[in-house]
Amino acid sequence: LEIVRDDPNCTVRIADNGRGAAPDAVQGSRSLGLAGLRERAAQFGGEIQVRTAPGAGFEVIAILPLAGLVTGK
């Protein structure tokens, strides 16, 4: 887990060293978990990035504008 303030954003990175998945398995994923994360980040003007590969773990990065976090808009 890594949380970095990098004006004008706050970046939250969560990674593991597990099994991972094929990158195309999470692109446009119908997974409610990833879809929900993307929806919530978008509400604050942010985005979610997912990086993974078979045998290389799984990484989720949330990039959120600090202004959206402070004002809730």
Side-chain angles (χ1 to χ4, degrees), residues 39-51:
E39 288 174 8
R40 287 177 182 87
Q43 288 176 336
F44 292 99
E47 67 177 285
I48 298 294
Q49 298 174 356
V50 178
R51 298 179 184 157

Side-chain angles (χ1 to χ4, degrees), residues 6-22:
D6 185 22
D7 287 329
N9 298 315
C10 175
T11 301
V12 180
R13 179 182 164 271
I14 303 165
D16 70 17
N17 59 356
R19 296 183 330 193

Side-chain angles (χ1 to χ4, degrees), residues 23-31 34-35 38:
D24 60 342
V26 296
Q27 297 301 323
S29 176
R30 293 183 306 220
S31 162
L34 290 176
R38 288 183 173 119

Side-chain angles (χ1 to χ4, degrees), residues 51-66:
R51 298 179 184 157
T52 187
F58 204 89
E59 179 179 47
V60 176
I61 302 167
I63 302 169
L64 305 167
L66 289 167

